[in-house]
Amino acid sequence: MLKEEIITYAYLILYIALSSGQIFFNKWVLSSKEINFPYPLGLTLLHMVFSSVLCFVLTKGFKILKVEEGMTLEIYTTSVVPIGAMFAMTLWLGNTAYLYISVAFAQMLKAIMPVAVFILGVAAGLEVMSCRMLLIMSVISFGVLVASYGEINISWIGVVYQMGGVVGEALRLIFMEILVKRKGFKLNPISLMYYVSPCSALCLFIPWLFLEKPKMDAHRMWNLQPVVLTLNSLCTFALNLSVFLVISHTSALTIRVAGVVKDWVVVLVSALLFADTKLTAINLLGYGISIAGVAAYNNHKLKRETSRNIADDSQDAKTIPMNTSLNQNR
């Protein structure tokens, strides 16, 4: 028992460290004052190609990891492709935002995510508007507004990029929910990477070809720090793998709490690592308010999922005796 708890805590610490570290690593690579590789499209494309190749090698070559079966062409084209496209959009715009705003402020803006997910969920018929949810969304929005008001060096271009990334991530989560609820197809993080990464790579390749490749050719940036970029891509893959390990050893509540802890780690540590990060009392107050709203949202979602699972279990319990009696009659 003690050994299992130690392993669980180790996975959680690994997830928080990798998730926070990846954000700092991306900022470090993109920053003009550090590695100076100002090509977020190219960096994100490299991540997706790396993940695609590594997933294929580990699942089909060495067969260390297992991919869930049951994928059809219809599911891939109607669900996986939109998920892959939105994932590409999220990473591209989110990484681009680091060129204009600090890591801490980008993280504060990400707190608006539940609001975007809820609004799109209502539009898609997956969520129901209620006074409780309206209050939670208002608290989160107010907190983000306060945090933005307290930002000293605000760049509206960076804010637009970050908000675009938030919308992309919200759409990705909506498509994921549609895939699970309406089509009854679940994917673990490894299977998701296996199917989604190639699609995301293709979605990124087309704009990269026209937007960044000419700039890279002009500035001769092809041979810049290959070891650093490889390590950066490896860190991204390790992060996705850690998500798989955490989910397989903990509950939905644990991963959400770990996410909130990670957010605070990123905000506070970035102030120590990067010169462009200057936190104010208003920043932290606003972020604290929004995180309280996010915690309330996560709690609400978790209770709803638990009640739904209990209802499904009780329904299964009712059908088992009926099936048994039918078999006995035969």
Side-chain angles (χ1 to χ4, degrees):
M1 187 69 179
L2 181 61
K3 185 180 178 181
E4 289 181 1
E5 288 183 2
I6 292 173
I7 292 173
T8 300
Y9 280 116
Y11 286 146
L12 283 170
I13 293 170
L14 179 67
Y15 162 72
I16 293 171
L18 285 172
S19 186
S20 306
Q22 183 61 40
I23 293 171
F24 299 143
F25 203 167
N26 286 347
K27 173 70 173 180
W28 187 60
V29 170
L30 293 167
S31 175
S32 59
K33 296 177 182 178
E34 306 295 341
I35 295 299
N36 192 24
F37 186 78
Y39 303 105
L41 252 177
L43 184 65
T44 310
L45 174 60
L46 182 64
H47 291 168
M48 291 300 100
V49 171
F50 191 89
S51 291
S52 300
V53 173
L54 210 54
C55 273
F56 183 83
V57 170
L58 293 177
T59 56
K60 300 301 181 182
F62 295 106
K63 297 184 178 178
I64 298 172
L65 301 172
K66 186 179 179 182
V67 176
E68 293 177 19
E69 303 296 333
M71 180 63 68
T72 64
L73 182 62
E74 188 270 334
I75 291 176
Y76 193 88
T77 53
T78 59
S79 294
V80 175
V81 170
I83 290 170
M86 291 304 102
F87 191 43
M89 173 182 167
T90 300
L91 296 175
W92 170 19
L93 297 181
N95 282 332
T96 303
Y98 291 143
L99 297 174
Y100 301 95
I101 59 177
S102 68
V103 169
F105 186 49
Q107 206 65 27
M108 292 176 188
L109 292 175
K110 283 180 186 177
I112 201 77
M113 179 73 68
V115 178
V117 173
F118 181 71
I119 292 172
L120 291 171
V122 170
L126 297 172
E127 298 280 0
V128 178
M129 184 66 75
S130 66
C131 293
R132 178 184 173 85
M133 288 304 293
L134 196 60
L135 177 62
I136 291 173
M137 297 302 113
S138 299
V139 169
I140 295 172
S141 301
F142 176 71
V144 172
L145 283 173
V146 172
S148 300
Y149 179 76
E151 181 66 12
I152 297 173
N153 300 315
I154 190 167
S155 167
W156 290 109
I157 297 175
V159 171
V160 169
Y161 274 121
Q162 188 60 58
M163 288 297 99
V166 167
V167 172
E169 177 65 5
L171 285 170
R172 184 186 75 87
L173 293 173
I174 292 298
F175 284 127
M176 285 286 295
E177 199 163 348
I178 290 172
L179 180 65
V180 173
K181 285 186 177 179
R182 295 183 181 173
K183 300 186 180 180
F185 195 75
K186 293 184 179 181
L187 293 171
N188 62 43
I190 298 301
S191 300
L192 193 63
M193 269 200 299
Y194 177 82
Y195 290 118
V196 170
S197 293
C199 178
S200 296
L202 182 61
C203 291
L204 290 165
F205 178 76
I206 296 170
W208 172 80
L209 204 60
F210 295 99
L211 297 177
E212 286 190 356
K213 184 179 179 296
K215 295 179 184 177
M216 293 177 71
D217 288 336
H219 291 89
R220 299 179 180 178
M221 299 293 281
W222 285 97
N223 297 318
L224 179 67
Q225 304 281 2
V227 175
V228 172
L229 295 178
T230 302
L231 287 174
N232 184 258
S233 300
L234 190 60
C235 188
T236 303
F237 184 83
L239 171 59
N240 291 321
L241 193 59
S242 72
V243 172
F244 173 72
L245 293 172
V246 170
I247 290 175
S248 62
H249 285 81
T250 61
S251 64
L253 175 61
T254 308
I255 191 72
R256 282 172 177 153
V257 171
V260 172
V261 173
K262 181 265 298 180
D263 292 341
W264 274 107
V265 168
V266 171
V267 169
L268 297 175
V269 175
S270 64
L272 302 174
L273 294 179
F274 300 105
D276 65 345
T277 303
K278 291 179 175 62
L279 296 178
T280 65
I282 298 176
N283 272 149
L284 295 175
L285 174 64
Y287 190 54
I289 293 170
S290 62
I291 286 296
V294 171
Y297 172 79
N298 286 339
N299 183 53
H300 176 78
K301 291 282 287 184
L302 201 67
K303 284 182 178 178
R304 208 172 71 174
E305 288 171 10
T306 303
S307 60
R308 189 186 296 126
N309 291 336
I310 292 172
D312 291 342
D313 291 341
S314 62
Q315 186 64 35
D316 291 340
K318 289 178 182 178
T319 57
I320 290 171
M322 188 184 296
N323 292 337
T324 305
S325 62
L326 285 172
N327 291 333
Q328 287 173 345
N329 289 335
R330 286 178 185 172

